[in-house]
Amino acid sequence: MFSSNSEANSDSTFYSIEARYHYGIIIPHHSNMAYFISDYASGVEINLNRRRFGSQIWESKMGYPETGIGFWFSTLGEPNIYGNGYAIYPYINSNLFDIGNFNARYRVALGLGYADTPYDKTENLFNNIFGSYLNAYIGLGLYLSYPVSDRIDLRSTLSLNHMSNGSSRKPNHGLNTAAISFGAVYYLSEQDYPRVLPQTSPRIKAREIVGTLSAGRNQAAPYPPDIHWSGSLTFTHLWYQTEAKAYGLGLDFIRYGGAPLAFIKLEDMDFNAEYGFSDYFYTGITGTMESHLGTTALYITAGAYVHYKTEPRQPVYARLGIRQMIYENLLGHFGIKANFFTAEFIEFGLGYRFRY
């Protein structure tokens, strides 16, 4: 609850521990997955929450969200083939609305996943969704909380979770689970929240050029099982609406390692052919939306290829990622490059912001 004795715009931080049990289904987005799934997905989630009433505008505009780090465990519908999934992730729970004592939030999480029973050509031939132990994890959720004391909230969620390795190893259909969960949140101190004056996000006219250089490794096709280097050089011009929101247009220079193997039909493949640099090279134009959470920026990009030699599977593609300020204008960068049905590679790199 909010305290009327606390000063407006005070800077206070509250911590809590959350535990939930979830139960749901595996979404069989490939026909052969449905044949093997024999059970529901179930497991637990444990989260360490932080809610900070600070002076930054993005916190006020998002209703002073919870942030933290979490752990996710789930069975995956068939223990002998798909095994179990684990994930560790940072997340943000943004406020949607309050009705009386009920509070609704939505979650976005992005982290590292682990599949304990991946594909193996001799021991686990039927697992075509995980080609490696390590994977990327994406979690989306809708939360509903109700306080039963000053220290305890009951919480229920509806969530969608995705785990795949971004084609770093084949096969890589990836796995999606939809689940409902029930649990509780224990606050390490009473929820004596300060009354904080609402802040508005003033419109600004800032413009910025962001450049990133990134690289990653991927397996383009199950056969041959070669691992290739991929990467990109991107330039994006951003027009800021507020300090927390910007939109932009950009240019991508992409090297997709193994592109001929990924895009050419198997019956048309010449495994003895030699390919040059241009066979792997793509140029694209992009539109981007970027949201700033303090020193962290989340972005989503839609792109269209404008130049290539090897025809891509689709003429359009998507990118999703995080940019973290390291020092002044220097950025650390993590992203996923995909067409709209399959991840192509995960990339890590550095970037630089130039505002004018």
Side-chain angles (χ1 to χ4, degrees):
M1 62 182 176
F2 287 93
S3 169
S4 60
N5 298 321
S6 301
E7 294 184 0
N9 289 327
S10 61
D11 194 339
S12 304
T13 304
F14 297 85
Y15 296 93
S16 61
I17 301 173
E18 175 184 2
R20 287 181 285 108
Y21 170 78
H22 65 251
Y23 191 81
I25 61 171
I26 305 296
I27 302 174
H29 55 287
H30 288 267
S31 58
N32 54 357
M33 290 177 60
Y35 179 80
F36 293 115
I37 295 173
S38 62
D39 200 358
Y40 292 94
S42 62
V44 297
E45 295 178 49
I46 300 174
N47 302 300
L48 301 177
N49 300 319
R50 183 191 75 164
R51 192 177 186 191
R52 192 172 81 93
F53 290 80
S55 58
Q56 298 191 52
I57 290 177
W58 74 268
E59 294 175 313
S60 173
K61 292 294 291 183
M62 298 183 72
Y64 300 99
E66 291 178 339
T67 58
I69 188 167
F71 169 79
W72 174 85
F73 162 79
S74 182
T75 61
L76 302 178
E78 177 47 65
N80 295 322
I81 297 177
Y82 301 138
N84 302 310
Y86 308 79
I88 297 177
Y89 48 85
Y91 60 86
I92 181 168
N93 298 335
S94 302
N95 198 59
L96 278 175
F97 58 83
D98 296 279
I99 302 178
N101 287 329
F102 283 98
N103 170 248
R105 296 188 175 112
Y106 66 92
R107 159 175 288 197
V108 177
L110 179 62
L112 183 65
Y114 181 84
D116 63 9
T117 313
Y119 168 85
D120 184 275
K121 63 182 179 181
T122 58
E123 301 293 334
N124 194 13
L125 185 62
F126 296 112
N127 186 345
N128 61 359
I129 62 175
F130 296 127
S132 63
Y133 289 101
L134 293 179
N135 294 267
Y137 168 85
I138 300 173
L140 305 174
L142 179 65
Y143 282 42
L144 188 64
S145 297
Y146 185 84
V148 294
S149 74
D150 289 337
R151 295 288 187 98
I152 298 176
D153 284 2
L154 298 181
R155 181 168 288 183
S156 178
T157 74
L158 181 64
S159 62
L160 178 65
N161 305 284
H162 172 78
M163 200 163 72
S164 72
N165 64 33
S167 291
S168 61
R169 296 291 187 278
K170 294 286 187 176
N172 181 53
H173 289 330
L175 185 137
N176 301 309
T177 66
I180 187 170
S181 69
F182 300 93
V185 181
Y186 176 77
Y187 293 86
L188 302 185
S189 60
E190 291 186 2
Q191 301 177 64
D192 189 21
Y193 297 147
R195 285 202 176 276
V196 183
L197 295 178
Q199 300 183 64
T200 59
S201 299
R203 294 183 66 85
I204 63 174
K205 296 182 179 180
R207 299 177 182 181
E208 190 173 72
I209 296 175
V210 179
T212 61
L213 179 63
S214 307
R217 288 170 64 79
N218 65 286
Q219 183 179 344
Y223 302 101
D226 298 332
I227 306 300
H228 307 271
W229 279 102
S230 295
S232 63
L233 175 64
T234 71
F235 297 98
T236 304
H237 187 283
L238 294 172
W239 289 267
Y240 278 79
Q241 305 299 305
T242 68
E243 281 290 350
K245 185 75 68 176
Y247 299 90
L249 296 174
L251 192 62
D252 270 347
F253 301 99
I254 301 167
R255 184 191 191 276
Y256 181 27
L261 298 177
F263 296 147
I264 297 175
K265 294 181 180 180
L266 184 61
E267 57 268 24
D268 299 329
M269 181 68 65
D270 180 2
F271 291 99
N272 296 317
E274 295 185 2
Y275 298 100
F277 177 83
S278 61
D279 294 294
Y280 305 100
F281 185 77
Y282 296 83
T283 302
I285 55 174
T286 62
T288 296
M289 182 184 73
E290 187 170 283
S291 297
H292 288 246
L293 312 177
T295 60
T296 303
L298 308 177
Y299 71 90
I300 183 169
T301 295
Y305 296 111
V306 294
H307 180 267
Y308 52 82
K309 183 176 179 181
T310 303
E311 184 175 356
R313 185 177 291 111
Q314 294 175 346
V316 293
Y317 61 95
R319 309 183 83 150
L320 173 70
I322 298 175
R323 297 182 179 121
Q324 175 64 47
M325 190 73 70
I326 298 175
Y327 177 75
E328 293 184 349
N329 294 325
L330 184 64
L331 310 169
H333 168 75
F334 164 76
I336 299 173
K337 161 69 169 58
N339 64 51
F340 282 93
F341 296 98
T342 306
E344 293 178 347
F345 59 89
I346 296 174
E347 56 184 356
F348 299 86
L350 294 173
Y352 190 83
R353 293 187 183 274
F354 173 74
R355 179 171 291 196
Y356 68 97

